[in-house]
Amino acid sequence: MPANVTFILGGAASGKSAYAEKLCLSSGKSRVYWATAQIFDSEMRDKVSRHLKQRGADWTTVEEPETADKVLGDLEPGQICLMDCATMWLTNHLLAEHDLQAAQDGLLAAVDRCQADLVIVSNETGLGIVPENALARRFREAQGRLNIALAARADTVVQVTAGLPLVLKGAV
């Protein structure tokens, strides 16, 4: 039986990660946290430390900024994996000047093969104004395409705004 995929979408600081963590906690399954962020400065180091403390020791954390198969390929049916987040994952590929379509195809294939339940967090970046620079516009377009593809594969899609979940597809 294919794994259950829940896609959590929202703006920055909307409460989407906290909501996703609650879903994982309520599953009763062994929890894996796929951390996609890379730590380049003290602000990000502090944020990661806060998140680790908030989650507690009952999670297995896997730090992997780019390669989905390294994380999702090792998961088993009795587990649930929280990918936090697809936006940072995409940013890593964009800044490394990788082929974004090939990276997206690799992620989607890994999601399709994954045996564990997945909760994927991503930012909604298309609600603001058109960015004034080419890199930001390229990112916004790529993030939109990735979000559409992940939502299409997901069993459940939830938008979180001000900490409040709105189910867009499926049921929680």
Side-chain angles (χ1 to χ4, degrees):
M1 172 151 80
N4 184 54
V5 178
T6 302
F7 184 51
I8 310 294
L9 191 60
S14 63
K16 61 190 175 298
S17 292
Y19 180 77
E21 288 175 11
K22 287 179 190 174
L23 285 180
C24 292
L25 286 168
S26 69
S27 75
K29 296 185 176 200
S30 173
R31 294 179 300 280
V32 176
Y33 186 92
W34 176 11
T36 61
Q38 297 183 76
I39 300 172
F40 293 119
D41 59 29
S42 61
E43 179 184 355
M44 183 57 85
R45 186 174 294 105
D46 292 344
K47 182 177 182 177
V48 167
S49 294
R50 282 192 314 274
H51 280 241
L52 281 167
K53 186 176 180 182
Q54 176 184 317
R55 276 195 311 276
D58 293 337
W59 291 77
T60 299
T61 299
V62 179
E63 296 177 3
E64 176 49 52
E66 295 176 356
T67 309
D69 271 338
K70 286 184 181 179
V71 181
L72 302 184
D74 291 336
L75 298 176
E76 298 176 357
Q79 296 178 299
I80 189 165
C81 177
L82 170 54
M83 177 190 189
D84 199 357
C85 74
T87 305
M88 293 301 295
W89 174 89
L90 179 65
T91 299
N92 297 336
H93 285 283
L94 179 72
L95 295 178
E97 299 182 3
H98 294 159
D99 178 331
L100 297 183
Q101 188 60 56
Q104 176 176 309
D105 291 346
L107 173 63
L108 296 174
V111 167
D112 289 345
R113 288 189 301 271
C114 185
Q115 296 182 47
D117 287 349
L118 296 174
V119 177
I120 302 171
V121 172
S122 189
N123 284 277
E124 174 54 69
T125 59
L127 296 175
I129 62 171
V130 175
E132 78 353 295
N133 71 74
L135 179 62
R137 287 190 301 274
R138 181 173 176 227
F139 169 75
R140 183 194 61 173
E141 292 299 317
Q143 185 68 64
R145 286 190 303 275
L146 178 60
N147 286 346
I148 289 167
L150 288 169
R153 278 185 166 67
D155 302 287
T156 305
V157 178
V158 180
Q159 181 173 348
V160 178
T161 302
L164 302 173
L166 174 63
V167 177
L168 303 175
K169 177 182 175 184
V172 288

